[in-house]
Amino acid sequence: MHPGRIGGTESEEEPLCPTTGSKETAMCTSDPLLVDRNVPAAVSTVLEELLRCHLNESSAAHKRFASDIGERVVTFTVKGGRRRRSQLLWWSMRACGGGPPESEATLRTAAAVELIQTCALIHDDVMDGSALRRGHPSVHAAVDQQYGTLNRRRPFGTFGGAAAVLAGDLALAWADDTFVEALARTPHATELGRVWRVMRTEMVAGQYLDLHAQATGSRSPGRAMRAAVLKTAQYSAAHPMTLGAILAGADHDVVRRLRSAGLCAGMAFQLHDDLMGAFGDPAVTGKPAGEDLREGKATYLVAVARSIGMRKGDMEALRLLDEVVGSLDATEDEVARVLDLLVASGARDRVAARIERLCSRSMAILRSGQLSSRATSHISRLLLESCGFAESAPSTCTAAPRTHRFVEVPTSAIGGAR
């Protein structure tokens, strides 16, 4: 463990700087060549510096609040994910010619994006009733375990659920504070602020549409894709890449191209996530196979299967989908029958083919611009991995195997998926 790591947490990356004082942090993070060597570590360095201050403020408000809520937000953020959004943001800035003048503002913006991700995931776990996140108890489950307040199958209404909502709110507040500090370090504050506001609103809108579709039993592929665009595609790739390009002062055409490339890959990312939610190996995804089916998530995959069944007049297939999808009590055998149907109907292959088309389109857009080839290579790798493709040259897209029950994709493509 690195000396001085806040909350006693450990990071998977080596620290960017040997110390975490504000002066040393500023010196390290102002050198883009140093940051290039390990972007996740650089973002973590900035996050730890910022979160230490926020945690002190929480302690000043109340020590119990700081230990129960503030420290959980800190730990969740510092130990979370692969920083894929942050890396896309950084490398988009570098692809557009950004350098030392943009470095600190870019890393602080990336830190703000990581905190928004913390908010989104903590709230998402409450809404989905997910007991685990990244192999550990989710925030609401941990609080309920601490206080013995888990008294419902779903966490809505428990002390842990309510506390997790507040934890997510705190993360969002810290994200906005961090972003405001970033704006003070760039001449592009107006345009950055506009994108930030749109990103926050679309993220919430996409989550609501996802919940609405589950509650109303929506079966429209178009509606499922629209929710995916708002909830995932824009927020996971398009907006971070847009923010990076704006921070570098890129012209409108370059910003538009990067946003388009991110949107295509972001849509592919969500479709891949749908496949993993149904067919992913539990040893890799960390959750039971078919969990999304039991929860009744309105995925594009299931919507396509319904559409195929309706077109063919396959009433038995439609009946099976109606009975199992959204049934928390569905047996392993029933879930297996739905998975077999998704394969036999061609729905899985159709979704996989669309993922390939979207990724190919994203790579073509990236190659069409006058961007730094080195930075573009990093962007391409990040986008391809997020969509379940083995690391490869930007000009090629080799699909993940589709011949087994579990989709076999690189572990790296799953570890940072959320």
Side-chain angles (χ1 to χ4, degrees):
M1 181 170 65
H2 181 260
R5 283 282 162 102
I6 51 180
T9 59
E10 298 183 27
S11 173
E12 294 181 358
E13 311 93 10
E14 289 297 318
L16 185 70
C17 308
T19 60
T20 56
S22 58
K23 182 177 180 180
E24 291 84 355
T25 299
M27 290 175 62
C28 290
T29 57
S30 63
D31 183 353
L33 294 178
L34 182 59
V35 175
D36 285 351
R37 290 163 49 189
N38 196 334
V39 178
V43 175
S44 292
T45 297
V46 172
L47 272 170
E48 290 188 8
E49 183 78 17
L50 293 166
L51 290 173
R52 183 178 294 107
C53 295
H54 286 308
L55 195 56
N56 289 338
E57 293 168 355
S58 298
S59 295
H62 200 282
K63 292 189 180 301
R64 172 57 62 187
F65 166 68
S67 64
D68 283 4
I69 303 301
E71 286 186 8
R72 282 191 166 96
V73 171
V74 168
T75 300
F76 191 103
T77 306
V78 170
K79 299 182 76 171
R82 292 191 64 209
R83 311 283 187 226
R84 196 181 303 279
R85 293 166 182 80
S86 294
Q87 293 185 72
L88 287 172
L89 195 156
W90 174 264
W91 288 115
S92 294
M93 180 274 288
R94 296 290 277 155
C96 296
E102 294 79 28
S103 184
E104 188 175 357
T106 301
L107 288 174
R108 285 180 178 268
T109 302
V113 169
E114 293 297 332
L115 281 163
I116 276 201
Q117 174 72 344
T118 293
C119 166
L121 294 184
I122 291 175
H123 282 174
D124 195 51
D125 286 341
V126 173
M127 292 179 226
D128 288 347
S130 298
L132 292 175
R133 170 66 66 179
R134 296 169 179 158
H136 300 282
S138 52
V139 169
H140 67 81
V143 173
D144 274 330
Q145 289 173 11
Q146 178 182 352
Y147 288 98
T149 51
L150 183 61
N151 53 25
R152 297 184 183 181
R153 183 170 186 177
R154 292 279 186 168
F156 303 110
T158 69
F159 174 61
V165 170
L166 294 175
D169 291 345
L170 184 64
L172 181 58
W174 289 355
D176 279 340
D177 291 344
T178 301
F179 184 65
V180 168
E181 293 177 8
L183 293 183
R185 293 166 168 79
T186 174
H188 309 293
T190 299
E191 185 61 13
L192 288 167
R194 185 192 66 78
V195 174
W196 182 262
R197 291 190 297 272
V198 171
M199 181 179 71
R200 288 182 312 180
T201 300
E202 288 186 346
M203 181 184 72
V204 176
Q207 179 67 17
Y208 178 73
L209 289 179
D210 193 32
L211 291 171
H212 185 272
Q214 292 182 56
T216 61
S218 173
R219 301 175 179 181
S220 165
R223 180 71 174 271
M225 184 57 75
R226 180 55 180 164
V229 167
L230 291 174
K231 181 182 177 183
T232 302
Q234 296 276 39
Y235 162 65
S236 294
H239 285 315
M241 291 170 67
T242 300
L243 289 168
I246 293 172
L247 279 158
D251 62 38
H252 176 74
D253 183 61
V254 172
V255 172
R256 180 184 58 80
R257 286 204 304 273
L258 279 172
R259 182 171 59 243
S260 297
L263 179 60
C264 289
M267 292 168 67
F269 164 51
Q270 181 57 61
L271 295 182
H272 171 66
D273 200 48
D274 291 348
L275 287 179
M276 294 306 301
F279 296 99
D281 186 341
V284 176
T285 65
K287 61 182 181 180
E291 184 176 84
D292 286 357
L293 299 175
R294 287 190 177 92
E295 293 178 356
K297 290 191 175 181
T299 65
Y300 181 75
L301 173 65
V302 172
V304 168
R306 289 188 189 278
S307 178
I308 292 173
M310 292 179 64
R311 189 174 68 252
K312 293 182 176 179
D314 189 343
M315 303 310 297
E316 178 62 22
L318 295 173
R319 182 192 62 78
L320 180 62
L321 291 171
D322 287 340
E323 290 181 355
V324 177
V325 177
S327 173
L328 294 174
D329 298 320
T331 66
E332 291 294 327
D333 180 65
E334 288 172 330
V335 170
R337 289 171 59 201
V338 171
L339 293 177
D340 289 341
L341 170 64
L342 294 176
V343 175
S345 67
R348 187 175 73 168
D349 283 353
R350 184 173 298 186
V351 172
R354 185 162 189 181
I355 292 172
E356 292 185 42
R357 292 195 301 272
L358 286 166
C359 280
S360 294
R361 175 59 179 160
S362 178
M363 297 302 104
I365 294 172
L366 285 175
R367 293 193 301 270
S368 69
Q370 297 299 315
L371 303 170
S372 162
S373 59
R374 177 169 175 268
T376 303
S377 177
H378 282 283
I379 294 171
S380 299
R381 174 182 56 80
L382 288 163
L383 294 179
L384 288 172
E385 285 184 356
S386 72
C387 300
F389 292 93
E391 186 173 338
S392 59
S395 61
T396 63
C397 284
T398 304
R402 295 182 235 132
T403 57
H404 303 292
R405 169 61 55 82
F406 297 130
V407 175
E408 299 173 0
V409 296
T411 302
S412 60
I414 306 302
R418 304 291 292 185

